[in-house]
Amino acid sequence: MAIAKFPSVVIDCPDAAALAAFYAELFGWEVEDKGDWFDIRPGDGSNCISFQQVDVYQAPVWPGQTIPQQMHLDMIVEDLDKSEEVALSLGASKADHQPGETFRVLLDPAGHPFCLCLS
């Protein structure tokens, strides 16, 4: 028996508004401002990613574990090059270490790693 309609991911970051805007643009979702907390959702409201403002934030170091990655998102895409170009134009950066050929590791504006993965 399911106890929840859908899972939500909460991401700590130094600027919740900016990171919510980055991911909302990347996914084509809407932003809901709740002060130091922002939610993004698709139009049908079926999913949610939340961004929580943290005063003393330290970006993860990837692939090292000096400061663990904490979490990462895998995004299924049809075209790696085009998807990477869009993500970079929105403020992502490409990680120096790229361990595979069917996915790309990028860093969001707060330094969290995320992967663009071929479907």
Side-chain angles (χ1 to χ4, degrees), residues 28-44:
W29 291 4
E30 300 296 318
V31 177
E32 183 180 354
D33 180 349
K34 296 182 175 183
D36 285 348
W37 181 285
F38 289 75
D39 291 335
I40 63 168
R41 298 177 189 274
D44 66 5

Side-chain angles (χ1 to χ4, degrees), residues 2-60:
I3 61 170
K5 184 176 177 182
F6 52 83
S8 176
V9 174
V10 179
I11 301 173
D12 290 350
C13 54
D15 185 342
L19 201 57
F22 169 78
Y23 279 107
E25 189 71 25
L26 202 60
F27 291 135
W29 291 4
E30 300 296 318
V31 177
E32 183 180 354
D33 180 349
K34 296 182 175 183
D36 285 348
W37 181 285
F38 289 75
D39 291 335
I40 63 168
R41 298 177 189 274
D44 66 5
S46 62
N47 296 296
C48 179
I49 300 175
S50 300
F51 302 87
Q52 175 176 267
Q53 188 103 6
V54 175
D55 291 333
V56 183
Y57 174 77
Q58 291 186 347

Side-chain angles (χ1 to χ4, degrees), residues 41-85:
R41 298 177 189 274
D44 66 5
S46 62
N47 296 296
C48 179
I49 300 175
S50 300
F51 302 87
Q52 175 176 267
Q53 188 103 6
V54 175
D55 291 333
V56 183
Y57 174 77
Q58 291 186 347
V61 176
W62 190 88
Q65 292 298 307
T66 306
I67 301 172
Q69 65 180 323
Q70 304 154 10
M71 69 90 208
H72 77 275
L73 299 173
D74 284 347
M75 300 173 207
I76 307 304
V77 300
E78 293 181 15
D79 183 317
L80 283 176
D81 292 333
K82 177 90 171 139
S83 299
E84 178 183 325
E85 180 181 322

